[in-house]
Amino acid sequence: MNDGSVPQPGSLALSRKEDFKAFAESPRRSRPDLLTRRQLTSLPTQARADYDRQRRQWHANIGPVKTPQLTELHEDLWDIVDSNEQDGDKAKGAVAVDAFPGLGKTTSVLAFARDFHQREIEESGAFTSQGHERIPVCRVGLTGNTGMKDLNRAMLEFFGHPGQMRGTTAQFGRRMLDCVLSCDVRLVVLDDLHFLKWGQKSGIEVSNHLKWIANEFPVTLLMVGVELAKKGLFGEGTNGRDTALAQTGRRTTRLGLRPFTIDTEAGRREWRQMLLALEQRVVLADKHPGMLADYLSDYLFARSTGHIGSLMTLINRSCQRAVRTGAERLDQELMDRVKNDEASEAARLELQAALEKKRLTSRPRPRSRRPA
């Protein structure tokens, strides 16, 4: 984007610096006012349409919620990133967020990247000492056939570099290094790293390339993917392939994200706190205290199997239906008609049966009152 316009939140492509900057620096969305049923029906036609559009957008972007899992991940990330203040002659430690789908990896990492961007700009200013635009974070999404040249090109594309289309792998790498140094980049986020074919030549090339970035670039590499350990990112061994990957593993800290569980009292309390937080964010005229945390706790756990991504999808879609149909509340009858992702639906029946037969419960025990 060269016209100076600010991209709208719904049109952001975070693989470009202008869009990431807008994502990181735009004000947080404001929750629409919660109107009563009477106030809602008294709105003029255009005002009602505007209000419902605000609610559509709000419910579609209702997260992220500061769950214990997100808090734990961010604390670990701050530890690693802040410890990577070594001088340029020392390689910096990398991070790999390695977890199953539906646990909020990308959402959590983007929330951290946003906070990191804001901190760097607040502390150091919007421009470098050389007058270049300060871009603390570079974020790149990988594809299934990414090699070294593709990775460099994607990073150059993030900065809108005019030399992103022509050149050798080495030339792309030098241009990328110039961009990182000129813009004072401190964090490089590589998303969907699992798309690489680690057993093939491109995977070894990219692994070696990641080591080169860690050695030569003054950045923290933050890699995000599914089953990265199984694919060999942290692999040990003696042959050429394993040795190349093993060095990456030695320099990389693996972090994960856990699902919600209900087999302990602590887990059940975490689940309840999550539902209470979502209740506060839902904007429906007939919502009531306990709508999610009391009346739908078991149901929502069965529908999401404790995966926050599935839960947020279900809540979002159910709120859209509640607004569109005029139901203005969430209950099992409405939510039974709302489809969720295939993985959660496939795993739902056995868990739902256990909950219905009281072999499991998602509800914590009431806290006993201490005697006066």
Side-chain angles (χ1 to χ4, degrees), residues 26-243:
S26 296
R28 301 297 176 94
R29 291 179 181 271
S30 298
R31 188 183 70 174
D33 293 335
L34 181 61
L35 304 182
T36 65
R37 175 74 73 162
R38 175 176 295 182
Q39 291 172 323
L40 196 62
T41 56
S42 66
L43 287 176
T45 301
Q46 186 58 53
R48 174 63 183 270
D50 291 342
Y51 180 66
D52 286 349
R53 174 177 49 78
Q54 292 173 24
R55 292 197 292 171
R56 283 199 306 272
Q57 295 174 346
W58 170 256
H59 290 136
N61 298 277
I62 202 168
V65 177
K66 194 172 183 180
T67 63
Q69 293 90 328
L70 182 143
T71 299
E72 292 165 6
L73 176 65
H74 281 196
E75 285 298 316
D76 289 334
L77 288 174
W78 283 119
D79 287 344
I80 296 166
V81 171
D82 286 347
S83 69
N84 276 348
E85 292 288 342
Q86 301 98 331
D87 294 335
D89 61 326
K90 301 179 180 67
K92 301 182 187 299
V95 192
V97 179
D98 184 9
F100 288 113
L103 296 179
K105 295 183 302 300
T106 296
T107 299
S108 298
V109 166
L110 286 177
F112 175 81
R114 176 177 184 157
D115 291 345
F116 181 80
H117 174 101
Q118 291 176 349
R119 189 187 75 171
E120 292 297 295
I121 296 298
E122 289 172 1
E123 290 183 354
S124 303
F127 296 93
T128 70
S129 59
Q130 301 299 316
H132 300 294
E133 185 180 15
R134 190 182 304 280
I135 309 293
V137 179
C138 171
R139 183 264 174 196
V140 175
L142 278 67
T143 63
N145 58 355
T146 301
M148 289 188 297
K149 193 171 186 178
D150 302 307
L151 177 56
N152 286 344
R153 181 183 288 119
M155 294 176 76
L156 288 174
E157 184 180 357
F158 177 86
F159 290 96
H161 194 287
Q164 63 184 277
M165 299 308 298
R166 292 174 179 257
T168 65
T169 300
Q171 288 172 332
F172 281 176
R174 287 194 294 271
R175 293 166 191 164
M176 189 60 242
L177 180 57
D178 287 342
C179 286
V180 166
L181 294 176
S182 296
C183 297
D184 204 14
V185 177
R186 288 292 177 261
L187 180 67
V188 173
V189 178
L190 301 180
D191 205 355
D192 292 327
L193 198 68
H194 54 273
F195 284 149
L196 291 177
K197 307 299 182 184
W198 289 99
Q200 299 178 359
K201 182 181 178 181
S202 63
I204 301 300
E205 288 179 342
V206 174
S207 179
N208 287 329
H209 194 57
L210 296 180
K211 287 187 295 183
W212 176 72
I213 292 175
N215 287 335
E216 301 297 330
F217 289 37
V219 302
T220 299
L221 273 178
L222 174 48
M223 300 169 282
V224 186
V226 177
E227 295 188 326
L228 298 180
K230 184 176 180 180
K231 292 180 182 297
L233 177 61
F234 316 103
E236 299 285 355
T238 56
N239 61 53
R241 170 186 177 272
D242 290 339
T243 301

Side-chain angles (χ1 to χ4, degrees), residues 265 269 364-371:
E265 187 67 11
R269 292 197 180 281
R365 292 189 298 270
R367 294 185 185 273
S368 58
R369 293 185 178 180
R370 293 182 179 181

